[in-house]
Every structure is written in structure tokens, then in C-alpha cells.
Amino acid sequence: MDWLQALVLGIVQGLTEYLPVSSSGHLAIGAYLFGVNGEDNLTFTVAVHIATVLSTLVVLWREIAWIFKGLFKWQMNDETRYFINILISMIPVGIVGVFFKDKVEEVFGSGLAIVGAMLLVTALLLTFSYFARPRQKEKISMRDAFIIGLAQAVAVMPGLSRSGSTIATGLLLGNKKEQMAQFSFLMVIPPILGEALLDVIKAAKDGAQAAAGDISLTALGIGFVAAFVFGCLACKWMINIVKKGKLIYFAIYCAIVGVVLLISSFC
């Protein structure tokens, strides 16, 4: 992987981690077009995922500070309940990551047809959430947090957007738009760090050179910076988009790309 490929894949990761169009699916498309496999390059994968976590911390630092400030009061308050909801949302994806990680990685190597199919599912979810008008709730409940966590666990499939699935599920459950954008981005921080840790452990077993592949430190740094910068931009942009209820445009985009991928896969 050269520096230009790392730059493009870093931009793709930064943008699509937050936009409801599937970062894994677009990385698979980019890797296919470039003739490289970014998902197999553990060093690059870990770097760009950590970069997107850092972008979340930068954009949502006030909300994160609010949570920790409340936690250290050592009492059951809104901040503590919010933190508990995040922990509950982590349970399904944690089970998938620990017990089914190898199976998921096999799916990533099964071609672009699965990406196209999952993009169509993403489009359907976004469309349903756009037209649905459930009764609005004031706060995200523990039950809703677990259901949203289930959506995040299912979204490990390449092409099924994590942010799209979690936000759409939350909206269908009746949670407010501004709450769901924030919760969706905060709940992903622990799973991404956990996935990065598992990749580091795997890299240690495989050997540093095998994990790094053929990427140079320069290309790795460029990919990291690109993912961080565009992650910050996409995170801010996506929060405003969700508040304005404009997810239908991403549904149209996912549907078009999904159909194109399916046609190209079978023709």
C-alpha cells in the first residue's frame, strides 16, 4: 500500500465511519479498486480506527466530560444512567467480537456482492426511520440501549452501516434525533478500542512484519491523519444531518451503490 492509497482509504474510513453508508463496505470497495486489502493489513486497520476514535473524543469532548464528571459524584444521576446505557449497548457487539470474530472476517473476504446486499439493507433501515413517526421519548432507556446495541452487533457485516443501523433503530424506537446522533457516536468508542486491542493481540501472534504488510511508516501516518481529520468533519456534519432529519438522501445513495455492486458482481 503506497501513500496515495493510504490517503484515500484513510479519508474513506474517516468519512464513512460516521456517515450512514458503511465504512467497512466502502473500505472493501476502495481496496478492490486499488488491488489491496486494507482489512487484512492489521497495522493500517488499527491505525485508522484509532484515528476515528480520537476524532470522536475531539468533537464530543464536552459530552464525554459531562459523563465522567457525573460518574465521579458516586451517585445515580443522569450521567451515570447514560454511562450504564453505553455499557449495556456494548454487550451484543462484545459477544460477537469475542466469539465470532473469525467468522466475521471470513464474510469480509466473500466479495462485493455481500457489501451490495447489506447496503440495500442499510437503505431500507434509513428509509423506515425517515418515514416512521413513533411516539417521542425523553430519554434512552436501558431496553432501548440493548436493542440499539443489537443493531450495532449486526452491523459488523460489511456494507451494513453501524451509524445508520444504530441511529435508525433508535429513531424507530422513538428516541429523539439529537440524542441518537450523540449516543450512536459515543457507544462505538469502546467497541472500536476493543477491536483494535484484539487486532494488536493477533498482530503479536502473527509477527509484526506480517501484520504491517507492505505499508511504510509514511503511508501509515498519512492514513492516520486523513482518517482523523475527515472523521472530525464527518462527525460534526452527521450530528447536524440527523437533527435535520435528512437521512433519506443517504438511503438513496446506499440503494444506488448497492444495486451497482450487485449488478457488477453477477455480470
Side-chain angles (χ1 to χ4, degrees), residues 15-39:
L15 286 176
T16 58
E17 181 63 43
Y18 299 102
L19 301 182
V21 294
S22 176
S23 61
S24 60
H26 280 73
L27 279 178
I29 295 171
Y32 174 80
L33 294 176
F34 283 135
V36 298
N37 196 335
E39 288 297 327

Side-chain angles (χ1 to χ4, degrees), residues 80-200:
T80 304
R81 292 187 184 90
Y82 198 96
F83 183 75
I84 291 174
N85 282 344
I86 291 178
L87 292 179
I88 291 173
S89 73
M90 291 168 50
I91 295 173
V93 74
I95 293 173
V96 171
V98 173
F99 296 103
F100 302 102
K101 182 174 174 60
D102 292 338
K103 295 294 183 182
V104 172
E105 289 178 349
E106 289 178 9
V107 176
F108 272 89
S110 57
L112 294 182
I114 185 67
V115 175
M118 291 300 102
L119 281 172
L120 291 179
V121 174
T122 298
L124 286 174
L125 278 173
L126 295 175
T127 301
F128 286 147
S129 68
Y130 179 79
F131 288 106
R133 293 292 183 269
R135 184 176 180 180
Q136 292 290 296
K137 302 176 182 179
E138 289 301 318
K139 296 180 180 179
I140 300 172
S141 66
M142 292 183 182
R143 168 184 166 274
D144 287 359
F146 184 75
I147 295 174
I148 295 167
L150 288 174
Q152 177 174 242
V154 175
V156 298
M157 295 290 290
L160 187 54
S161 169
R162 185 207 59 80
S163 63
S165 298
T166 54
I167 292 173
T169 299
L171 294 178
L172 289 170
L173 290 171
N175 294 289
K176 294 181 178 180
K177 297 172 183 177
E178 56 272 17
Q179 291 178 336
M180 276 316 306
Q182 176 181 305
F183 186 75
S184 174
F185 296 153
L186 289 176
M187 68 184 281
V188 76
I189 295 176
I192 288 181
L193 292 178
E195 182 181 3
L197 178 60
L198 291 175
D199 286 338
V200 169

